[in-house]
Amino acid sequence: GVTEEDALATIRAALDSPIPYIDTAALYGDGESERRVGLVLRERGGLPENAFLQTKQGRNPKNADYSGETVKRRMERSLELLGVDRIEVVYLHDQEWTTFEQAMAPGGPIDVLQQFRDQGVIGHLGVAGGPIPVQIQYIETGLFDAVIHHNRYTLLNRSAEPLIDAAVARGMAVLNAAPYGSGMLVKGPDAYPRYAYQRASAEMIDRVRRFAGIAERHGVPLPAVALQISTRDPRMTATIVGMSRPERIAETIRYLTTPIPEALWDE
C-alpha cells in the first residue's frame, strides 16, 4: 500500500529525473496506478516530450475474465485514466491466465490490441508475463515488438535466458523487471526473506548472504550489484524497478552509477 501523496511525489520525481520512464498496468490496483499516473500527467499538460509511458492489458481481477471485450473495455479505461490518446507500448499482461488459443482467437485479446494499434492508439505491442515457456510461445508468433519478464533474470535466477535469446534473435525489445527479486536483494534476507513474493528457501537465503559478503569485500552495496547485473547486459533494452517513495529515484540512480570492479563480477 502506497499513499496517494507518496505515489504522486514519486511519479513527479521520476519525470524530473534522468529516468522519466513510467511502467504501469490496468491490473495494478485495478486502475488505481493508472489513475495516479494520469493525475501527474494532467498537471504537466500531458506526457512530457522526454518521458516514456507504457501500460499492460489483461484479465479483470474481479472475475478473471480475459476475453477480448474485457481487454477492450480496460484499454479504453486506461486511456481515460491516464488522460492520453496514445500509448507507445501496450503489453498483453499475465497471459498465463488464459490459453494461447483463446488469446489468439478472432475477437480475442490480441486481436483487440492489434485493432487499437492499427488505429494509432497503440504504437507497439508487447507481451509481459511470468512462465518462460508461455512467453516464448507468444513471441514465436512474430506479433510482438517487446517482451517483459520478471524475477527470472537476477543474481538468484537466470531461467529467462532462453526467452531473452529468442527475443533478441527476433530484434525485440527485452525488458527485465524485478531485478531485486521483489525485495530481498535490496533489503537483505533478514529484513525480507522472500523471493518473487514467496517465502525464500534456506539455500536461496544462504546464497544472498554469500553475495552480500562478496559485495562488501569489494566495497559495493549489494543492491547495486543486483541492479547492474541487468543494466550491464547488452541484451536488455530496459530494467524495471518498482519504486514507492520519491527518494527511491535518487537511490536507484546511485545504485545504477556505482562503479563495480570486474573482480567482483568474476567472483
Side-chain angles (χ1 to χ4, degrees), residues 30-208:
D30 196 13
E32 183 62 8
S33 172
E34 291 177 324
R35 186 187 72 81
R36 291 171 169 188
V37 171
L39 289 174
V40 176
L41 295 186
R42 287 179 175 89
E43 287 177 3
R44 302 289 173 107
L47 185 68
E49 283 189 11
N50 69 323
F52 195 91
L53 172 68
Q54 62 185 33
T55 193
K56 314 179 193 74
Q57 300 297 337
R59 64 188 167 94
N60 181 337
K62 295 182 176 68
N63 57 11
D65 186 321
Y66 211 130
S67 65
E69 184 58 33
T70 289
V71 168
K72 179 177 184 292
R73 287 196 306 268
R74 291 174 75 79
M75 180 66 201
E76 290 168 346
R77 184 187 72 171
S78 293
L79 293 167
E80 183 179 344
L81 291 172
L82 291 165
V84 298
D85 54 16
R86 186 179 189 275
I87 300 173
E88 192 60 39
V89 188
V90 175
Y91 296 81
L92 185 73
H93 196 196
D94 288 352
Q95 67 277 20
E96 59 266 28
W97 284 80
T98 185
T99 66
F100 182 73
E101 291 72 26
Q102 289 172 328
M104 295 289 294
I110 293 173
D111 190 19
V112 165
L113 292 177
Q114 287 177 310
Q115 290 175 38
F116 278 111
R117 184 196 58 196
D118 294 344
Q119 295 161 14
V121 176
I122 292 173
H124 300 276
L125 294 181
V127 61
I132 298 304
V134 175
Q135 293 268 71
I136 290 175
Q137 186 178 26
Y138 281 86
I139 71 168
E140 286 179 344
T141 65
L143 296 175
F144 300 96
D145 303 311
V147 61
I148 297 175
H149 53 87
H150 62 82
N151 290 294
R152 291 167 174 84
Y153 190 80
T154 71
L155 281 172
L156 295 166
N157 184 330
R158 311 289 171 82
S159 62
E161 286 280 5
L163 172 68
I164 296 166
D165 288 339
V168 169
R170 289 183 170 274
M172 297 174 64
V174 179
L175 291 87
N176 182 32
Y180 302 138
S182 81
M184 183 163 63
L185 289 166
V186 69
K187 297 175 183 175
D190 297 317
Y192 190 83
R194 297 169 69 79
Y195 186 88
Y197 319 109
Q198 309 290 324
R199 180 80 186 180
S201 66
E203 184 269 343
M204 188 173 277
I205 288 172
D206 178 63
R207 286 180 65 204
V208 175

